[in-house]
Amino acid sequence: MSGKTGKRYFWVAYGLSTLLLSFGSNLATAWDLPQRMEDPLFTRPPVLDRGAILPGDHQVVVCSGNEPLNHPLTLSDAVDLALCRNPQVHAAWAAIKVQAGAVGEARAAYLPTATATLSQLHTRTEFPGVPEANSSVNGHTIYGGLTWRIFDFGAREGNNEAARLLLVAAMLAHDAALQKTLSNVVSAYFEATSARAAFGARTESRQLADDALAATVRRERRGAAGQSDTLQASTATAKAQLAEQRAAADYNKSLAMLAYAIGLSGGAFVELADMPEDEPGNAVGDLKGWLDEAMARHPAIAAARAQLEAAQAKVRQVRGEGRPTVDLTGNIYQNGYPNQGLQRTRSTVTTVGISLTIPLFEGFARTYKVVGANAEVDQRAAQFEDTEHQVLTDVVKTHADATSALANLTASERLLNSARSAVRSSENRYAKGAADVLELLSTQSALSDALQERVRCLSEWRSTRLRLMASAGVLAGDQIHAIANR
């Protein structure tokens, strides 16, 4: 074939390929194929399209922009902001996408692979001393190949199962990251509300001290009290003011920590919404029931279990890779072979066959790969037991804390009521001259302690109740909404 004919053939083939690509592009646009070709093997899990959902919840976590808060921050708002901005949640979300790609690679092993090469070549052969024998050839070569593995001993099946289980583990790890973020934000929010309540209690104590000082000054002017009483009342007032200032500093610090936990920018102003005072309500529940819930529903335990099963599937893959395989092959060569010069005459060679590959000796590499895979199974099993132990230990500790907090909640209410009655009685007695200033200051100090105990008990009850649900893996957004809106 002449050089002009070869060039003409090449440009015709190039034009046809360009036309086919253009037609295919238009057809793909009409059928929305570009999006479909992003995931042709259907490996993308639905959670990536519908959005994240808290374990046990039914509402998708909707993330908006970074609009500033223009209303008091509720617990529900804090949770929603944190779930959208926490970097650990973002990393777990990206891990799902990565593992979905690994599932696609595993599924692609069941499909044939095809290659094609089109080359335009110029070949010149020279014979020193015999110039009349020199030759020059212009032309093209075409190569096409098809390989399809039609049978192996479980290598692809083990790889596909391992990839699928790791994708399940990645989604469960994302759920665990959501639960952890949820628990951290709940703790930070209640620490802030507790600090605000403590600040309010200190303010009330300071007002009582101011009232006592004013009453003592009036009595001293009438000659009913000495200067020592006024000095003692003034000291108590200064002490109450110092405690109030420290409580204000703790409150501002807790607000800053809350803003950081939910991902607000530095210096963002946060105002907490009012929360109703909790009633004791029902009992905490049986410990065995909470442990059973954690075993069945906690995403961290489920993720560790899926990773263990994936490691077991990996063993089957490694063993299968060391066994025979059967491949269907087909090739077509036109005008020569790859990486060789052009032939003088046009030719077409077609081959079709079935290849049986039997690994005979790999230098004992397969043996050590199997040993390593089995060791990974043992490692994953130990990690599963450790995760299970940690989760159940947290449930046991939090259940004990919640039981104690529920009992303390009722006791702190009785203590606060008694302290308030004692202060009123002491104020009346002091106004009538039947009690001295030491008795009044003592009852006011007892009331301040009772207020602090009430704040502490309320915080412990609210926090441990939600932490118990989080440690068991049953805390969801709708439960937070219900508790926050009581």
Side-chain angles (χ1 to χ4, degrees):
M1 183 175 61
S2 66
K4 292 183 178 180
T5 304
K7 289 182 179 180
R8 197 163 46 244
Y9 186 92
F10 175 81
W11 288 112
V12 169
Y14 177 80
L16 288 175
S17 62
T18 303
L19 181 62
L20 288 174
L21 287 175
S22 177
F23 175 76
S25 176
N26 294 332
L27 187 63
T29 302
W31 291 351
D32 199 22
L33 287 181
Q35 294 184 0
R36 180 69 272 149
M37 291 306 296
E38 291 181 0
D39 184 24
L41 300 182
F42 303 96
T43 63
R44 184 180 177 89
V47 66
L48 294 179
D49 295 320
R50 71 166 183 262
I53 298 178
L54 287 171
D57 206 350
H58 304 287
Q59 184 177 1
V60 176
V61 178
V62 179
C63 296
S64 56
N66 295 327
E67 298 86 357
L69 291 174
N70 53 8
H71 58 83
L73 182 70
T74 65
L75 178 58
S76 301
D77 294 334
V79 168
D80 292 341
L81 289 171
L83 294 181
C84 293
R85 304 186 184 194
N86 187 274
Q88 294 182 350
V89 175
H90 293 170
W93 184 260
I96 298 177
K97 298 179 181 179
V98 172
Q99 197 54 46
V103 172
E105 292 182 15
R107 291 182 181 178
Y110 288 93
L111 300 177
T113 59
T115 58
T117 303
L118 174 64
S119 303
Q120 179 69 25
L121 301 176
H122 171 76
T123 301
R124 178 174 176 79
T125 305
E126 296 183 357
F127 296 91
V130 190
E132 62 274 9
N134 294 346
S135 63
S136 178
V137 181
N138 292 323
H140 70 279
T141 60
I142 297 177
Y143 164 69
L146 174 70
T147 303
W148 194 357
R149 179 154 297 178
I150 57 179
F151 179 75
D152 60 16
F153 284 85
R156 291 177 298 178
E157 180 182 359
N159 186 35
N160 185 59
E161 182 66 9
R164 185 189 67 82
L165 289 170
L166 287 177
L167 177 58
V168 173
M171 291 188 290
L172 291 170
H174 180 261
D175 291 344
L178 291 177
Q179 286 280 3
K180 181 180 179 181
T181 303
L182 200 65
S183 179
N184 292 339
V185 172
V186 166
S187 297
Y189 188 87
F190 282 131
E191 286 180 4
T193 56
S194 298
R196 182 180 64 177
F199 174 59
R202 291 300 184 183
T203 300
E204 183 177 349
S205 298
R206 191 262 308 158
Q207 291 173 349
L208 291 174
D210 289 342
D211 294 340
L213 176 59
T216 304
V217 170
R218 288 194 298 269
R219 293 191 62 187
E220 182 183 1
R221 290 173 179 173
R222 296 196 306 264
Q227 186 179 13
S228 61
D229 290 352
T230 304
L231 293 175
Q232 290 177 352
S234 178
T235 302
T237 299
K239 183 178 179 181
Q241 290 175 346
L242 178 61
E244 182 185 19
Q245 292 174 359
R246 287 178 175 174
D250 291 340
Y251 178 40
N252 292 330
K253 178 182 177 181
S254 65
L255 287 179
M257 296 302 296
L258 175 61
Y260 178 79
I262 62 181
L264 294 179
S265 59
F269 175 74
V270 177
E271 180 184 0
L272 299 181
D274 294 331
M275 292 189 65
E277 185 170 308
D278 295 41
E279 296 295 334
N282 298 326
V284 176
D286 182 59
L287 176 60
K288 184 178 182 303
W290 286 106
L291 293 175
D292 293 340
E293 285 282 353
M295 288 288 295
R297 299 181 57 179
H298 200 285
I301 294 178
R305 185 184 296 111
Q307 290 175 347
L308 172 59
E309 294 174 354
Q312 294 170 344
K314 191 70 174 180
V315 174
R316 297 195 297 270
Q317 174 198 350
V318 173
R319 292 184 183 276
E321 289 175 347
R323 294 169 180 170
T325 58
V326 179
D327 297 316
L328 173 65
T329 61
N331 300 281
I332 181 171
Y333 308 92
Q334 190 174 88
N335 303 335
Y337 297 94
N339 301 320
Q340 293 185 2
L342 288 171
Q343 296 182 353
R344 290 181 174 274
T345 59
R346 183 175 180 179
S347 64
T348 300
V349 178
T350 304
T351 63
V352 178
I354 295 180
S355 302
L356 174 64
T357 304
I358 303 176
L360 297 178
F361 183 67
E362 298 177 309
F364 303 107
R366 184 63 47 192
T367 301
Y368 290 105
K369 287 183 179 180
V370 173
V371 170
N374 285 324
E376 186 176 355
V377 171
D378 296 338
Q379 184 183 37
R380 292 297 184 183
Q383 291 176 352
F384 170 71
E385 293 179 359
D386 181 62
T387 301
E388 185 179 69
H389 180 266
Q390 289 182 0
V391 170
L392 297 184
T393 300
D394 289 341
V395 172
V396 172
K397 291 181 179 179
T398 312
H399 183 271
D401 292 340
T403 303
S404 175
L406 182 61
N408 294 339
L409 191 64
T410 303
S412 66
E413 185 178 11
R414 292 197 301 266
L415 175 63
L416 180 59
N417 293 333
S418 299
R420 289 188 186 278
S421 300
V423 167
R424 287 193 295 268
S425 176
S426 179
E427 289 176 342
N428 292 332
R429 286 166 51 81
Y430 184 72
K432 297 176 181 179
D436 57 12
V437 70
L438 294 178
E439 178 182 342
L440 177 60
L441 296 178
S442 176
T443 56
Q444 289 180 348
S445 176
L447 176 58
S448 177
D449 294 340
L451 287 170
Q452 294 299 311
E453 286 297 331
R454 182 59 177 173
V455 168
R456 184 182 298 111
C457 290
L458 278 172
S459 175
E460 290 175 351
W461 167 240
R462 290 168 174 168
S463 179
T464 56
R465 178 175 49 171
L466 290 177
R467 284 195 296 113
L468 178 59
M469 288 188 285
S471 63
V474 299
L475 182 60
D478 53 355
Q479 295 168 331
I480 291 179
H481 283 278
I483 292 175
N485 299 324
R486 284 189 52 178

